[in-house]
Amino acid sequence: MAELLTGTYEDIPRYYTAIAEWISCMLFCYFYRRKIKKSCFAGIAAGMLVLQTGWLMLTGNVSTLFWIPCMIIAIGMMFLFLWMVIEATWKMVAYCCMKAFLTAEFMASLEWQLEYFAYRGRTEKGVLSILTLAIVYGAVTMILWIIESRMKRDEIELEISVKELYSTLLIVLSAFMLSNLSFVYRNTPFSGSIATDIFTIRTLVDFGGLAILYAYQSLRHEVGAEKELSKIQSILTAQYDSYRNYQEVTDLINMKYHDLKHQIAGLRAEQDPEKRSKWIDQMEDELAAYQPERQTGNQVLDGVLDGKMPLIRNAGIAFTCVADGELLKFIHVTDICTIFGNALDNAIEYVSMISDPEKKIIHMEISSRKQFVYAEVRNYCDTEIKIKNGFPMTTKRDAGNHGFGIKSISYAAKKYGGTMQFGVKDHFFFIRILIPKEEIESSL
């Protein structure tokens, strides 16, 4: 005879649920930059575990009428925990909270179903009960950690929209309501009447909701990644096109420069000494303005620098450059343009807004340091730089269409096994790039 529904079977221990909710929140705390110190995080995490457990234990026997409000408060605690810890917008915190809640529902349901099946409702289970909880919770957490790790991209961290947040809420609510329908209303076409069926329905529905949620997230990342990579590719193309224009102009200037130098030699044959002297002085002054700015040992880098110099002069910026361009000979033309073109553009744009002429400073360095090619562009900075998803936040209003310059630098550096670092030190914002010299040999 089929086993009928019993109170013992249908009720997951409340502290099991509290632990599942806490572990789920901790999982997402790992994947986002935290805005508090480690010591504060440990204290808040411990406090939230006690608070969450106490609340669920206290409200374990409330009537159906008060059950949903109590669950909403429990979810609110999860949101508060994430909001206090991770550095993200309220929309991203809400998104993580909903994923954590559905994860906890599935985790607790799966564990209790397996535990009850193994022990057949016996009340004395001892250490094996704790072992089952640890194995199931640990396995689910590890699987979701692997999934989140593969979806997580340092360069591409998508901000969720309000519309996408509503879609996520609909998925979570649908899964939660269907999975718990048998415990609230047993007389519906979708409710179960046998104990094992009820728990199977809840576990499978929670699993299905979680699968749909991660499929939706995967689709978001794929579409968002394509859009972001398309924008970055546009930046790469624009920097390379700028270099081509700089190079064409530079070639013409160099030709004219050498031609005029020969003309000066001919003018020295002028009979009138005073007229000849004035003419020659005038031509030499004009030629000085067209003389190539830099000779770094790398033609591409020279072209980039020559193209930026008019902007630097017009803004009254003091620019210094110590660069061994020979070190960049293994780097592709487009990547040189991307790295140094974008780094200089960012520096010029910021420094141009500084009113104090003495603070309009940009310095660039390319040198060899042990086993690395070291490149740095730094500029004076007197404001706080905010970090989001591992990159400086753009100060422009249209943030969705800006901020890709530094990301494109990171992409270019990683192509050669390199890394990018940025920060502010002594009122100077810097971008530093290290590329291992081993890459030089493998690239030649």
Side-chain angles (χ1 to χ4, degrees):
M1 184 175 177
E3 183 181 8
L4 297 178
L5 180 67
T6 63
T8 304
Y9 187 83
E10 67 178 275
D11 294 330
I12 299 175
R14 302 297 285 172
Y15 62 93
Y16 278 30
T17 303
I19 294 173
E21 291 175 351
W22 183 80
I23 291 175
S24 299
C25 288
M26 292 291 288
L27 176 65
F28 290 101
C29 287
Y30 174 83
F31 285 104
Y32 287 84
R33 182 184 179 91
R34 291 194 288 268
K35 57 184 177 183
I36 57 176
K37 296 180 179 179
K38 290 183 178 180
S39 57
C40 294
F41 171 68
I44 291 174
M48 289 304 300
L49 177 59
V50 173
L51 182 63
Q52 196 85 2
T53 304
W55 173 253
L56 291 183
M57 294 289 290
L58 181 65
T59 59
N61 296 319
V62 297
S63 63
T64 304
L65 181 63
F66 294 103
W67 176 65
I68 292 180
C70 289
M71 288 299 299
I72 292 174
I73 293 175
I75 296 171
M77 291 180 181
M78 296 174 67
F79 177 86
L80 179 63
F81 178 29
L82 293 171
W83 181 78
M84 292 173 63
V85 172
I86 65 176
E87 188 175 297
T89 64
W90 71 268
K91 289 182 291 184
M92 286 302 298
V93 173
Y95 179 64
C96 292
C97 180
M98 286 188 285
K99 285 201 298 182
F101 173 70
L102 192 56
T103 298
E105 286 289 301
F106 169 68
M107 190 185 298
S109 178
L110 176 64
E111 193 283 333
W112 187 242
Q113 183 176 4
L114 293 175
E115 181 176 328
Y116 190 87
F117 175 80
Y119 302 111
R120 298 297 179 183
R122 293 195 300 269
T123 56
E124 296 182 1
K125 293 171 281 190
V127 179
L128 292 178
S129 176
I130 299 175
L131 184 61
T132 303
L133 184 143
I135 292 174
V136 174
Y137 281 19
V140 173
T141 302
M142 181 59 67
I143 292 171
L144 293 181
W145 183 85
I146 294 172
I147 295 174
E148 286 285 343
S149 298
R150 291 181 177 179
M151 288 186 175
K152 182 76 174 177
R153 296 176 173 88
D154 290 336
E155 296 85 0
I156 301 171
E157 181 59 43
L158 305 176
E159 177 62 49
I160 192 168
S161 65
V162 175
K163 183 178 179 181
E164 291 170 332
L165 197 62
Y166 284 146
S167 300
T168 304
L169 179 60
L170 180 61
I171 294 172
V172 174
L173 282 178
S174 299
F176 177 71
M177 292 172 63
L178 287 174
S179 65
N180 289 277
L181 186 61
S182 297
F183 299 97
V184 181
Y185 301 106
R186 299 179 184 177
N187 190 24
T188 71
F190 304 101
S191 301
S193 58
I194 301 175
T196 53
D197 290 345
I198 290 176
F199 243 137
T200 300
I201 289 172
R202 175 153 75 174
T203 303
L204 291 178
V205 170
D206 286 339
F207 174 76
L210 203 58
I212 292 172
L213 194 58
Y214 273 100
Y216 178 63
Q217 178 178 331
S218 178
L219 180 62
R220 285 185 62 247
H221 270 269
E222 291 300 326
V223 173
E226 290 179 3
K227 290 182 179 179
E228 184 155 314
L229 290 174
S230 176
K231 291 179 181 178
I232 291 176
Q233 185 61 44
S234 298
I235 292 176
L236 302 182
T237 303
Q239 287 291 348
Y240 179 67
D241 290 343
S242 297
Y243 159 72
R244 291 291 299 274
N245 293 333
Y246 302 153
Q247 193 60 47
E248 289 177 3
V249 173
T250 301
D251 290 342
L252 291 174
I253 291 174
N254 288 338
M255 291 173 58
K256 190 65 175 177
Y257 178 79
H258 289 291
D259 289 343
L260 289 177
K261 287 183 70 174
H262 292 299
Q263 293 179 28
I264 289 175
L267 286 173
R268 294 189 183 277
E270 172 66 41
Q271 297 299 321
D272 186 343
E274 184 177 354
K275 181 178 179 182
R276 180 181 61 193
S277 179
K278 287 183 179 181
W279 194 355
I280 293 173
D281 291 341
Q282 181 181 357
M283 292 185 68
E284 287 181 336
D285 290 340
E286 292 177 355
L287 283 173
Y290 292 100
Q291 187 172 358
E293 295 290 343
R294 306 287 169 189
Q295 295 294 329
T296 64
N298 186 289
Q299 186 178 4
V300 178
L301 183 62
D302 290 341
V304 172
L305 292 175
D306 290 342
K308 304 300 180 186
M309 287 310 298
L311 297 175
I312 292 173
R313 285 200 206 93
N314 293 337
I317 298 171
F319 176 69
T320 56
C321 177
V322 179
D324 182 0
E326 284 287 333
L327 296 171
L328 306 178
K329 61 184 179 181
F330 69 99
I331 299 179
H332 194 270
V333 173
T334 55
D335 295 321
I336 294 176
C337 297
T338 296
I339 293 171
F340 297 101
N342 282 298
L344 288 172
D345 283 343
N346 290 337
I348 293 170
E349 183 177 5
Y350 182 87
V351 173
S352 297
M353 296 185 292
I354 298 177
S355 57
D356 189 348
E358 295 184 357
K359 296 180 179 179
K360 293 187 172 186
I361 302 171
I362 298 176
H363 176 74
M364 189 173 101
E365 177 184 351
I366 301 173
S367 59
S368 176
R369 295 195 178 181
K370 294 184 178 180
Q371 299 301 316
F372 294 91
V373 176
Y374 174 86
E376 179 184 80
V377 175
R378 66 176 183 264
N379 60 272
Y380 186 85
C381 176
D382 55 4
T383 59
E384 181 183 0
I385 302 297
K386 295 183 179 180
I387 307 299
K388 180 180 180 183
N389 302 326
F391 291 95
M393 291 180 61
T394 179
T395 56
K396 298 177 180 178
R397 292 183 178 180
D398 187 11
N401 293 320
H402 296 285
F404 294 102
I406 291 183
K407 291 184 180 181
S408 64
I409 295 173
S410 177
Y411 274 114
K414 287 183 177 180
K415 286 173 61 177
Y416 301 90
T419 59
M420 182 191 73
Q421 180 188 15
F422 56 83
V424 179
K425 183 178 180 181
D426 298 330
H427 295 289
F428 273 85
F429 175 81
F430 61 84
I431 297 177
R432 293 172 183 164
I433 297 168
L434 288 175
I435 298 177
K437 287 184 177 179
E438 287 80 3
E439 290 295 324
I440 297 178
E441 298 177 0
S442 62
S443 299
L444 293 178

